[in-house]
Amino acid sequence: MVCRIGILTGGGDCPGLNAAIRAIVRRADRSHSITYGFKSGWKGVLEGQVEQLTVASTRGLLHRGGTMLGTSRVDPYREPDGVERIRDALEVHRLDGLIVIGGEGTLSASRHLWEDEEIPIIGIPKTIDNDVGGTDLTIGFLTAVRTATEAVDRLHSTAESHNRVMVLEVMGRHAGWIATYAGMAGGADAILVPEVPFDIDAVGRHLKHRAGVGRDFSIVVVAEGALPQPGTMELAEPPKDEFGRPRLGGIGHTIAHEIETRTGFPARVTILGHVQRGGSPTPMDRVLATQMGVRAAELAMDGAWGTMTAYRNFGVVPVSLAEATEHLKMVPADLFAVAETFFG
Ligand code: F6P
């Protein structure tokens, strides 16, 4: 069916968003459907900031990081008359529905807008955290893993020269996907993730054991949301951001200090931060975003609202927004067990 589709990117940006926007526009255009891009996530929908997208206006985007539409963490449910203003935007531009490219927060709002308000939405999962349910991969994750792995590799050589412990803190919020993948890819000697509360004494023992067998340097990768086993170590309460969410970041300093105290080995900290969200998407992220964008446009034109594009077995299939947002997707125990084989 020929249709009129609104597109927005919400939540934290990541590499591959532009590739997804380009793919939606191209696929829609082939079927004579029309696309509109809302600026700055839900904010643009609520405030009527929108422009028509064309094949010409979305050329040259495939390799570019960030999002040409801009993004924000504005949640329509926390804004006055948020739902009504979304309905108005759809009506004013005579849109059949929206394709929302977002992470867990944006997709959860989308699910409720669909289930409770019957606002037609197709979701595309993106986040470097890779924690959206129902899909093996989210757009942006593999590029963040490449960046973090490169950091581990670089830390390796300087750690070895100085006989130091290098602590690398990576993002991931509630999930340890980036830490696990980059740690495994870079040969980390310990990986600390939210899924497996850590014992800092055991980490110290590992590193001492390594030194005992002649390995005088170590790499520790810690996810920003890693948690100690209860009663083993104190962590400071994180401050809140402007949306009331804990602003994570900084656990690496505590870990380095605790390691120095326990082992006497000199430790240094690198907090990779938003570097992980920037840069050009990897080929795999470009392909994933393209597959998902094309499929999302087709789902919209088929009227399959309330679904999200999910990556499974190298293909993209629709899953319900409900399935996608029911639970956060955490690092499975068997994958982490593989990583643990190489600790110490
Ligand atoms: O969800 C993606 C993410 O990069 C998290 O890994 C991180 O905790 C958070 O966003 C940072 O958010 P902000 O861009 O608001 O600093």
Side-chain angles (χ1 to χ4, degrees):
M1 178 185 99
V2 171
C3 73
R4 297 168 66 89
I5 308 166
I7 306 172
L8 65 99
T9 50
D13 73 340
C14 66
L17 295 174
N18 282 323
I21 295 166
R22 164 187 179 266
I24 299 167
V25 173
R26 284 285 184 97
R27 180 62 191 87
D29 182 75
R30 259 181 179 256
S31 298
H32 312 291
S33 286
I34 293 173
T35 44
Y36 282 84
F38 287 97
K39 297 282 180 190
S40 311
W42 291 114
K43 187 169 183 284
V45 185
L46 301 181
E47 296 177 1
Q49 296 165 21
V50 63
E51 67 181 34
Q52 190 171 340
L53 299 173
T54 63
V55 171
S57 71
T58 53
R59 278 199 202 288
L61 283 182
L62 186 57
H63 64 287
R64 275 174 43 199
T67 161
M68 69 170 289
L69 293 175
T71 185
S72 71
R73 294 199 186 276
V74 167
D75 176 348
Y77 281 105
R78 298 175 79 158
E79 298 299 316
D81 304 321
V83 175
E84 279 324 302
R85 285 154 74 193
I86 294 174
R87 276 195 219 289
D88 290 348
L90 290 173
E91 209 176 298
V92 168
H93 300 287
R94 290 178 291 114
L95 299 178
D96 295 286
L98 298 171
I99 295 180
V100 173
I101 312 172
E104 180 256 333
T106 309
L107 293 171
S108 294
S110 301
R111 170 189 176 173
H112 291 296
L113 288 167
W114 164 247
E115 288 182 352
D116 306 338
E117 314 293 342
E118 292 180 14
I119 291 178
I121 294 180
I122 307 286
I124 296 183
K126 68 81 221 175
T127 163
I128 63 166
D129 302 345
N130 199 37
D131 58 357
V132 174
T135 181
D136 294 341
L137 288 173
T138 55
I139 296 170
F141 167 62
L142 293 174
T143 305
V145 168
R146 179 187 64 185
T147 303
T149 303
E150 206 177 295
V152 176
D153 290 347
R154 287 170 190 266
L155 289 172
H156 229 113
S157 53
T158 173
E160 197 165 3
S161 308
H162 287 270
N163 294 341
R164 281 173 173 160
V165 177
M166 289 296 186
V167 176
L168 175 69
E169 180 185 311
V170 297
M171 282 184 165
R173 216 154 185 89
H174 308 290
W177 286 99
I178 300 175
T180 304
Y181 265 63
M184 282 174 76
D189 305 296
I191 303 172
L192 312 182
V193 294
E195 291 86 343
V196 184
F198 63 87
D199 174 357
I200 193 70
D201 290 323
V203 174
R205 283 197 299 275
H206 269 332
L207 303 190
K208 276 187 168 167
H209 172 260
R210 242 176 92 72
V213 295
R215 304 297 277 163
D216 290 330
F217 71 95
S218 294
I219 305 284
V220 176
V221 178
V222 55
E224 61 181 358
L227 293 167
Q229 289 177 9
T232 55
M233 207 185 101
E234 286 303 314
L235 280 182
E237 188 72 22
K240 296 266 167 45
D241 68 13
E242 62 269 44
F243 300 98
R245 305 177 343 141
R247 182 181 289 168
L248 301 178
I251 188 177
H253 289 293
T254 314
I255 297 295
H257 173 74
E258 298 287 336
I259 288 174
E260 276 189 337
T261 310
R262 280 164 176 76
T263 62
F265 303 152
R268 294 290 187 272
V269 186
T270 302
I271 299 180
L272 211 46
H274 292 78
V275 166
Q276 294 159 97
R277 296 236 299 257
S280 187
T282 60
M284 182 61 199
D285 258 333
R286 297 179 200 190
V287 172
L288 177 68
T290 302
Q291 281 177 288
M292 286 195 173
V294 164
R295 195 61 206 260
E298 288 169 351
L299 290 169
M301 291 187 288
D302 288 347
W305 306 110
T307 58
M308 182 192 83
T309 54
Y311 189 71
R312 292 181 183 174
N313 298 324
F314 289 91
V316 172
V317 293
V319 298
S320 70
L321 281 170
E323 178 182 346
T325 56
E326 200 61 41
H327 303 290
L328 281 179
K329 185 185 71 202
M330 309 303 269
V331 174
D334 57 350
L335 174 63
F336 197 72
V338 174
E340 268 178 330
T341 312
F342 300 90
F343 291 180

